[in-house]
Amino acid sequence: MSSRRSRNITEEEINELISKLQSLLPESRRRGAGRASASKLLKETCNYIKSLHREVDDLSDRLADLMSTMDNNSAQAEIIRSLLRS
């Protein structure tokens, strides 16, 4: 049995969270067309996160390709390694 008590979230809190989420999405800022519905905003958020995952995967692949073509002891390889450690 959990000792946590359930708490109802108020509509005002939901509206505040939706507003914060909307401010994080580039599409929402560009559109500037008031407040989107919560369901549309959640769909946009999911799509945005998926696109960020695809971008990270693409950049990882490109970096792996780049690293495989250079000498591991070169100055360029050391620069890339130092950037990845940051």
Side-chain angles (χ1 to χ4, degrees), residues 18-67:
I18 289 170
S19 178
K20 286 179 182 179
L21 183 58
Q22 188 175 26
S23 71
L24 296 173
L25 295 176
E27 295 86 20
S28 296
R29 280 188 246 150
R30 267 187 262 145
R31 211 183 3 240
R35 198 177 130 211
S37 72
S39 63
K40 185 172 184 179
L41 186 62
L42 290 173
K43 286 178 188 174
E44 287 179 12
T45 302
C46 290
N47 289 335
Y48 183 58
I49 291 170
K50 287 176 188 175
S51 74
L52 290 175
H53 278 285
R54 284 191 301 271
E55 190 173 340
V56 167
D57 288 344
D58 179 54
L59 290 171
S60 294
D61 291 344
R62 290 170 56 191
L63 180 60
D65 289 345
L66 177 65
M67 292 297 287

Side-chain angles (χ1 to χ4, degrees), residues 6-21:
S6 66
R7 166 173 119 63
N8 291 334
I9 297 176
T10 66
E11 188 173 335
E12 183 178 320
E13 290 172 314
I14 291 172
N15 289 338
E16 183 180 329
L17 291 170
I18 289 170
S19 178
K20 286 179 182 179
L21 183 58

